[in-house]
Amino acid sequence: MSRFFANGSDSESESSEEEIQATNFNKASAFQFSDDEEEVKRVVRSTKEKRYENLTSIIKTIRNHKKIKDIPNTLTSFEDLTRAYQKALPVISKEENGITPRFYIRCLAELEDFINEVWEDREGRKNLSKNNSKSLGTLRQKVRKYIKDFEDDLSRFREAPDQESEAEDEVVALDSDGGDAGDDSDAGVKGEPTQAVPKTAKSVPAKAAPADDDDSDDSIDWDSDSESETESSDDENQYQNMRERFLKRTTEKEDKDDDKRKDKRKEQKIKIRKRAEDDEDGEWETVVKGHVVEKPKMFEKDAEIDVPLVLAKLLEIMSARGKKRTDRRLQIDLLFELRDISDQHNLGTAVSVKIHFNIISAIYDYNQKISEPMKLEHWALLLEVMQSMLKLLLANPDIIMSESVAEEHEEYAAAPFYVRGCPLAAVERLDDEFVKLLKECDPHSNDYVSRLKDEVNVVKTIELVLQYFERSGSNNERCRIYLRKIEHLYYKFDPEVLKKKRGEVPTTTATSVDVMDKLCKFIYAKDDTDRIRTRAILAHIYHHAMHDNWFQARDLVLMSHLQDNIDAADPATRILYNRMMANLGLCAFRQENVKDAHHCLVDLMVTGKPKELLAQGLLPQRQHERSAEQEKIEKQRQMPFHMHINLELLECVYLVSAMLLEIPYIAAHEFDARRRMISKTFYQQLRSSERQSLVGPPESMREHVVAAAKAMRCGNWQACANFIVNKKMNTKVWDLFYESDRVREMLTKFIKEESLRTYLFTYSNVYTSISIPSLAQMYELPVPKVHSIISKMIINEELMASLDDPSETVVMHRSEPSRLQALAMQFVDKVTNLVDVNEKVFDMKQGNFFQRGNMGNRGDRGYNRNQNNQGGNWGGQRRDNRNNRNRNQRGHHKNQQDRQQQQQQQVQTIDEE
């Protein structure tokens, strides 16, 4: 049976068809299939086609999820894609020689771009649901980790993203024909078809790849089979060839489908070539969000461009500010274009300055929410335009720019030129925007460092404005710009100041202290607003304290009386006051004024909220202490991170100062019932440590200070110094000071002196006399220093003793009560107080009602008065008797002490004689 029969020729079809059907009907029943099996054609596909089809279907799913921003399902599909690619790796390494298919690289690049776009859109991220936001972070991490293995392929792809490989062409064709193939039940093939007939499949090549020439056939033509193969198959199985007759029609249809696919591929390649030709000399275009508005023409072609026309166009552009549906981005572009036109036609510097100022206003208007920072591209643009405008103003002294100039009085034709505007307000807003940008960044990231580098440009801009107003400006404007410069200078440490103090640099060297003096003194003399003067004084004190000018800083605080009226100031000024007091306390500590350091820091630390008082963060709310609006306002008041004061350093200095004051005081007034606390915070730390049943070695800073206090209480200065000055405390606290070695030496010296005082207070009732040299040896202090400390204690009546200079001893007078006597006196005081309270209660119950003014009948008034007087006299007599008795006892005790002192003095005089 030849192929002409299979093609169904006209000559043989009538005679042979009936014969075949008649003879083979019964035998063909053995080869009949069910209805479902007849409808579906079996397709034999290669492993490459299966793997690639799986990859392309997942990629298509990912693209659909990206369109609707379904990030959780995108994450799931990405995980499926990585698993499918892992399965396809053997095929890729065999068929593609290990080269990653381009369509897979394209998918990874698109997914990376999509993630970056969503991540950079901060507003959109805030509006994402919790599930989407969580999935976005996970997807971003997995994609960034996964694409590290494809960095070279991605870089090559991004260099030529429009170029498509042959494999990608196949994938595009499959994607485009997928819908048609799915609708037709007979056409189930999605790649190059491979026939189901075994013998015919042997004659087909293993790889059915498209030819290089577009006009060549990609599919297998049944007519190209040899006659010998067809005849041999006819002899072997006649019934199977009957089935082939019906299958051949499907193959013809598939050939037509292949032709359609080839045409589509040709069209796509032609489009890509045209696009590449068009883009050879072109550049990337930035696609903006939202409705695209055509850029209006600035002027007509024949228009004569002069100053009135440009000013009219400027007024037209700026009059659209704030109106609904005004494209603010387009407004900025138009202003830049207008500035370029003005420069091209040489319309004058005054017009250019006016356009510059309006560009600055338009950039400020772009950000509608004043509480949020502006975009970084606008920030860089703003810095550039500000500096350009100020350079024009400084280079042209005949241009006067002021907010006092009315619009109708502006002059652009002849010098002097008058322009309405306020560069001072612009630079103040610039400074505020810079602070907002810093607050928006994570302080521990590189973004914060890169934003902080912009401070150099901000300070340069402030310097330019300062030069302009020094040349032509009122005192009030100069004070305002001076304050801006002070606020960028007062918290910065200048080592040249300390070198100048030590004489290491010439005295003519200008330091930051000299600049601060000049600026602040001008404000003190010329300012007429209390706020600017107050902030200047606070910044001046802060700067002095930072450079260890303790006496200048202290005198400024005392002379200004700021502590009296600071409560009436605005919150920003109060924050600056708190920062100044904190830094002043650190300065006093470095200068060995422990008591002053404690006084400066006690108001901050006793509240337990120094973090909030210094505007360095917010504590968690307790029971809705503040509303959302209050929290938003307080966040706006926070200081940038680089201006923070180390809170652990502050607390450590406070606790150490309190320890050096409190421990000797506790030792001196051990049995005093009316003993007061110098530092409540330190006392609480001490008591909480004493309540613990098991106390281990100290770990935190507070535990180190408490352990040192316990050692000092026993007079053990070495243990105390080791707890305060050690490797861990140096790393956490003391190394943060500028001259840390000097601070550690000062601390050790103070610990020795206060431990000596504590030892004398604690054990003075044990000794009859103490040798001064032995005390000096015990505490490693010079003998004159020990002599000075003991003399001060005797003068201040803290120690009942006398100095014997010839023998260098301290003779104790033993006038202090013993421990038992002190406890007995304390008990007597408490009992006395209890009796007084009982008598008052008794008097209230026994008729004192009438003494308070609520009398009864007139006739009984005298009788009641007599009774009350009698009762009152009886109670008063008891109290008087007891008071006299106590007074006599105290007088007797005092007389005994006087007699003992007189006897001792007589003994001393006799010994001397």
Side-chain angles (χ1 to χ4, degrees):
M1 185 175 177
S2 67
R3 63 176 178 168
F4 298 105
F5 176 77
N7 288 334
S9 62
D10 294 337
S11 60
E12 295 182 357
S13 60
E14 295 177 357
S15 60
S16 61
E17 192 172 355
E18 295 178 358
E19 181 183 354
I20 290 170
Q21 289 177 358
T23 55
N24 295 332
F25 181 79
N26 295 329
K27 292 183 179 179
S29 61
F31 296 97
Q32 287 179 354
F33 304 102
S34 64
D35 294 338
D36 295 336
E37 289 176 344
E38 287 178 0
E39 289 177 359
V40 179
K41 183 180 74 108
R42 291 183 60 201
V43 179
V44 178
R45 291 179 297 169
S46 64
T47 311
K48 175 183 176 181
E49 289 175 348
K50 290 180 183 178
R51 299 301 183 202
Y52 276 28
E53 182 183 354
N54 190 15
L55 289 173
T56 51
S57 63
I58 297 174
I59 289 171
K60 190 173 181 181
T61 307
I62 289 176
R63 285 174 180 159
N64 291 336
H65 290 323
K66 284 194 298 184
K67 287 177 185 176
I68 59 173
K69 290 191 176 181
D70 187 0
I71 299 174
N73 286 330
T74 307
L75 173 61
T76 307
S77 301
F78 174 72
E79 293 171 348
D80 296 341
L81 182 67
T82 55
R83 286 193 289 269
Y85 181 76
Q86 196 66 27
K87 290 181 182 178
L89 270 180
V91 177
I92 292 171
S93 59
K94 181 180 178 183
E95 300 288 342
E96 307 288 349
N97 295 326
I99 299 173
T100 309
R102 189 173 175 83
F103 69 88
Y104 189 74
I105 298 297
R106 182 183 293 275
C107 174
L108 293 180
E110 290 175 355
L111 188 59
E112 184 186 10
D113 295 341
F114 168 74
I115 293 169
N116 292 337
E117 180 185 355
V118 176
W119 190 263
E120 289 171 1
D121 185 11
R122 294 179 180 173
E123 285 294 329
R125 261 200 298 160
K126 290 179 183 176
N127 298 328
L128 288 177
S129 64
K130 186 177 180 181
N131 191 19
N132 269 348
S133 180
K134 185 178 179 182
S135 300
L136 178 63
T138 309
L139 179 63
R140 182 168 177 258
Q141 278 186 333
K142 288 191 175 184
V143 169
R144 288 174 69 180
K145 184 178 179 181
Y146 185 72
I147 63 176
K148 286 181 181 178
D149 300 332
F150 303 93
E151 286 181 352
D152 297 337
D153 296 330
L154 282 170
S155 59
R156 284 195 296 270
F157 171 80
R158 293 192 186 279
E159 289 174 1
D162 291 334
Q163 182 182 351
E164 294 186 4
S165 62
E166 294 178 359
E168 197 169 7
D169 291 341
E170 292 178 11
V171 173
V172 171
L174 290 173
D175 287 342
S176 61
D177 295 340
D180 298 337
D183 294 338
D184 194 354
S185 61
D186 294 334
V189 184
K190 289 191 178 181
E192 261 106 284
T194 306
Q195 297 302 325
V197 181
K199 298 226 176 216
T200 310
K202 287 182 181 179
S203 64
V204 179
K207 290 182 184 179
D212 293 337
D213 190 4
D214 293 337
D215 296 334
S216 63
D217 292 338
D218 291 335
S219 61
I220 303 168
D221 191 2
W222 283 92
D223 293 337
S224 62
D225 295 336
S226 63
E227 292 183 3
S228 59
E229 288 179 350
T230 311
E231 289 172 357
S232 62
S233 63
D234 181 23
D235 295 337
E236 286 176 7
N237 195 347
Q238 182 180 5
Y239 303 106
Q240 192 166 354
N241 281 327
M242 282 295 297
R243 186 166 173 269
E244 282 179 18
R245 177 183 177 187
F246 300 101
L247 292 178
K248 181 146 188 205
R249 294 177 185 173
T250 307
T251 308
E252 289 174 357
K253 187 176 180 181
E254 288 178 359
D255 289 340
K256 293 178 183 178
D257 291 340
D258 287 339
D259 293 337
K260 290 180 183 178
R261 290 176 194 162
K262 284 192 292 181
D263 294 338
K264 285 184 180 179
R265 284 182 215 158
K266 286 180 184 179
E267 292 175 2
Q268 288 174 355
K269 287 191 175 183
I270 291 169
K271 287 180 183 178
I272 291 169
R273 285 173 192 154
K274 285 182 179 179
R275 198 186 310 154
E277 290 173 1
D278 294 339
D279 292 343
E280 277 179 358
D281 299 328
E283 296 179 353
W284 290 96
E285 292 183 2
T286 305
V287 180
V288 296
K289 294 182 181 178
H291 181 61
V292 179
V293 182
E294 285 191 13
K295 200 172 184 180
K297 293 181 180 180
M298 295 297 293
F299 302 106
E300 298 294 334
K301 290 183 179 180
D302 302 333
E304 182 181 353
I305 297 174
D306 54 2
V307 173
L309 186 62
V310 170
L311 291 177
K313 191 66 179 179
L314 178 64
L315 181 63
E316 178 189 341
I317 295 172
M318 296 308 293
S319 61
R321 287 174 62 186
K323 289 186 179 179
K324 198 173 182 182
R325 294 182 181 177
T326 299
D327 190 349
R328 298 185 297 279
R329 190 188 312 107
L330 180 63
Q331 205 173 20
I332 296 172
D333 295 339
L334 289 174
L335 288 171
F336 272 105
E337 186 179 347
L338 189 63
R339 186 192 67 175
D340 295 338
I341 292 172
S342 171
D343 294 341
Q344 287 172 6
H345 292 81
N346 297 323
L347 298 181
T349 312
V351 177
S352 182
V353 167
K354 179 71 174 176
I355 297 173
H356 272 85
F357 188 76
N358 283 281
I359 291 173
I360 293 167
S361 302
I363 293 173
Y364 284 143
D365 289 344
Y366 189 85
N367 193 11
Q368 289 183 326
K369 294 183 180 179
I370 198 168
S371 60
E372 294 182 0
M374 63 170 56
K375 294 182 179 179
L376 294 181
E377 59 266 20
H378 293 153
W379 169 250
L381 196 63
L382 179 63
L383 282 174
E384 179 188 347
V385 176
M386 279 285 293
Q387 292 187 2
S388 175
M389 183 189 75
L390 291 169
K391 287 174 182 176
L392 287 174
L393 285 173
L394 290 173
N396 298 275
D398 53 353
I399 299 177
I400 298 170
M401 189 177 194
S402 175
E403 59 184 349
S404 60
V405 177
E407 290 185 0
E408 58 270 14
H409 295 150
E410 289 182 328
E411 180 62 44
Y412 299 100
F417 304 104
Y418 289 95
V419 181
R420 178 174 174 78
C422 184
L424 178 59
V427 80
E428 285 178 341
R429 176 77 184 273
L430 174 78
D431 196 16
D432 295 339
E433 290 292 339
F434 174 66
V435 174
K436 283 193 281 187
L437 279 171
L438 288 177
K439 291 179 187 176
E440 183 70 14
C441 298
D442 180 11
H444 305 290
S445 66
N446 292 329
D447 292 340
Y448 189 88
V449 178
S450 59
R451 290 284 68 75
L452 194 57
K453 291 177 182 177
D454 290 337
E455 189 181 14
V456 179
N457 293 325
V458 174
V459 173
K460 283 182 182 177
T461 308
I462 292 173
E463 283 284 349
L464 293 174
V465 177
L466 188 145
Q467 293 174 20
Y468 175 74
F469 280 107
E470 281 182 344
R471 190 182 67 191
S472 59
S474 63
N475 289 334
N476 187 23
E477 289 172 333
R478 289 179 67 181
C479 289
R480 284 166 61 187
I481 193 63
Y482 280 177
L483 183 63
R484 288 288 172 174
K485 185 173 181 182
I486 286 169
E487 288 179 348
H488 279 276
L489 183 64
Y490 80 95
Y491 62 89
K492 294 176 181 174
F493 179 74
D494 186 7
E496 295 294 322
V497 177
L498 298 182
K499 290 179 182 178
K500 190 176 179 180
K501 279 185 186 178
R502 295 192 293 263
E504 297 176 5
V505 295
T507 55
T508 56
T509 306
T511 60
S512 61
V513 172
D514 301 330
V515 178
M516 285 288 293
D517 279 338
K518 176 191 168 187
L519 299 175
C520 292
K521 285 177 181 176
F522 181 85
I523 293 176
Y524 300 157
K526 304 293 184 182
D527 179 53
D528 53 0
T529 61
D530 289 338
R531 184 179 183 275
I532 294 179
R533 187 189 300 111
T534 302
R535 290 186 68 83
I537 292 172
L538 293 172
H540 202 185
I541 296 168
Y542 190 103
H543 200 67
H544 273 311
M546 178 166 279
H547 295 93
D548 290 342
N549 296 330
W550 160 247
F551 294 105
Q552 292 91 325
R554 184 197 63 183
D555 294 344
L556 268 175
V557 172
L558 296 177
M559 287 189 298
S560 60
H561 298 285
L562 287 173
Q563 59 273 20
D564 299 335
N565 52 13
I566 194 64
D567 292 332
D570 58 294
T573 306
R574 277 183 279 171
I575 289 168
L576 183 56
Y577 175 81
N578 293 336
R579 286 169 53 78
M580 180 273 294
M581 291 302 292
N583 205 27
L584 190 64
L586 295 177
C587 174
F589 186 78
R590 290 193 299 267
Q591 296 300 309
E592 305 181 5
N593 299 308
V594 176
K595 188 176 288 187
D596 293 324
H598 182 266
H599 288 330
C600 291
L601 298 177
V602 67
D603 291 333
L604 276 175
M605 307 306 296
V606 77
T607 59
K609 298 189 291 185
K611 191 174 185 179
E612 285 190 349
L613 293 175
L614 296 173
Q616 296 181 185
L618 297 178
L619 295 176
Q621 331 184 39
R622 291 178 299 232
Q623 299 176 353
H624 304 287
E625 280 181 347
R626 51 180 175 263
S627 61
E629 189 65 27
Q630 288 175 335
E631 187 168 355
K632 184 178 178 182
I633 292 170
E634 288 186 13
K635 280 183 179 178
Q636 291 174 2
R637 292 176 186 152
Q638 300 301 299
M639 302 299 293
F641 182 74
H642 68 283
M643 298 173 67
H644 284 192
I645 299 172
N646 193 307
L647 293 177
E648 190 170 15
L649 170 66
L650 210 61
E651 186 178 8
C652 182
V653 168
Y654 170 72
L655 290 176
V656 170
S657 304
M659 177 192 75
L660 295 173
L661 296 174
E662 187 85 47
I663 296 300
Y665 181 80
I666 291 174
H669 301 83
E670 185 176 5
F671 306 111
D672 191 354
R674 299 175 184 176
R675 183 179 66 204
R676 61 181 179 84
M677 288 184 294
I678 296 175
S679 172
K680 184 179 178 182
T681 309
F682 175 74
Y683 201 78
Q684 288 172 350
Q685 295 290 334
L686 212 56
R687 289 291 170 265
S688 63
S689 174
E690 289 176 355
R691 289 193 207 103
Q692 294 177 2
S693 56
L694 294 173
V695 180
E699 294 180 359
S700 66
M701 178 269 299
R702 293 179 182 177
E703 291 176 354
H704 275 86
V705 177
V706 170
K710 291 180 178 177
M712 181 184 281
R713 184 71 181 83
C714 302
N716 187 357
W717 74 270
Q718 289 179 337
C720 178
N722 290 335
F723 282 125
I724 294 295
V725 181
N726 53 51
K727 188 175 180 181
K728 186 181 287 187
M729 290 289 285
N730 290 343
T731 306
K732 283 186 176 181
V733 180
W734 307 125
D735 287 343
L736 300 177
F737 283 117
Y738 177 63
E739 295 175 338
S740 55
D741 294 332
R742 183 176 63 82
V743 174
R744 283 190 281 265
E745 290 173 5
M746 178 269 296
L747 270 174
T748 307
K749 185 188 77 169
F750 263 102
I751 288 171
K752 290 177 182 178
E753 294 174 3
E754 296 303 323
S755 298
L756 172 60
R757 296 180 73 238
T758 306
Y759 183 81
L760 290 174
F761 283 135
T762 307
Y763 301 109
S764 61
N765 56 354
V766 177
Y767 291 99
T768 55
S769 62
I770 306 175
S771 173
I772 293 177
S774 65
L775 287 175
Q777 184 181 2
M778 187 187 304
Y779 287 94
E780 296 182 6
L781 288 170
V783 173
K785 188 66 178 176
V786 176
H787 189 280
S788 172
I789 292 171
I790 295 173
S791 300
K792 286 180 183 177
M793 293 173 69
I794 294 173
I795 292 169
N796 295 331
E797 297 183 356
E798 294 174 342
L799 186 66
M800 295 300 175
S802 59
L803 287 171
D804 188 7
D805 289 334
S807 60
E808 293 186 340
T809 56
V810 183
V811 180
M812 300 296 174
H813 292 171
R814 286 194 169 276
S815 60
E816 292 90 355
S818 66
R819 182 180 178 84
L820 181 60
Q821 291 172 343
L823 290 173
M825 290 174 65
Q826 189 176 347
F827 178 71
V828 167
D829 287 339
K830 289 184 178 180
V831 170
T832 304
N833 292 334
L834 183 62
V835 170
D836 286 341
V837 171
N838 286 337
E839 287 181 355
K840 287 179 183 177
V841 173
F842 182 76
D843 289 343
M844 289 178 67
K845 289 182 178 179
Q846 293 296 323
N848 274 348
F849 176 77
F850 296 105
Q851 285 186 351
R852 291 196 298 269
N854 297 324
M855 296 185 181
N857 297 325
R858 289 185 180 180
D860 299 335
R861 188 181 299 170
Y863 175 75
N864 290 331
R865 188 188 299 119
N866 293 333
Q867 278 194 345
N868 289 332
N869 287 339
Q870 289 176 3
N873 291 335
W874 178 73
Q877 288 173 1
R878 288 186 58 193
R879 282 194 295 274
D880 292 341
N881 293 335
R882 186 178 62 254
N883 291 337
N884 291 331
R885 189 166 56 250
N886 291 337
R887 196 179 298 114
N888 293 333
Q889 288 178 356
R890 289 174 191 148
H892 179 67
H893 183 67
K894 189 175 181 181
N895 292 334
Q896 283 184 344
Q897 289 181 353
D898 294 339
R899 282 196 297 271
Q900 288 178 359
Q901 289 180 0
Q902 290 175 2
Q903 289 175 0
Q904 288 176 358
Q905 289 175 0
Q906 290 174 2
V907 170
Q908 288 178 2
T909 53
I910 292 169
D911 292 337
E912 291 174 359
E913 291 174 357

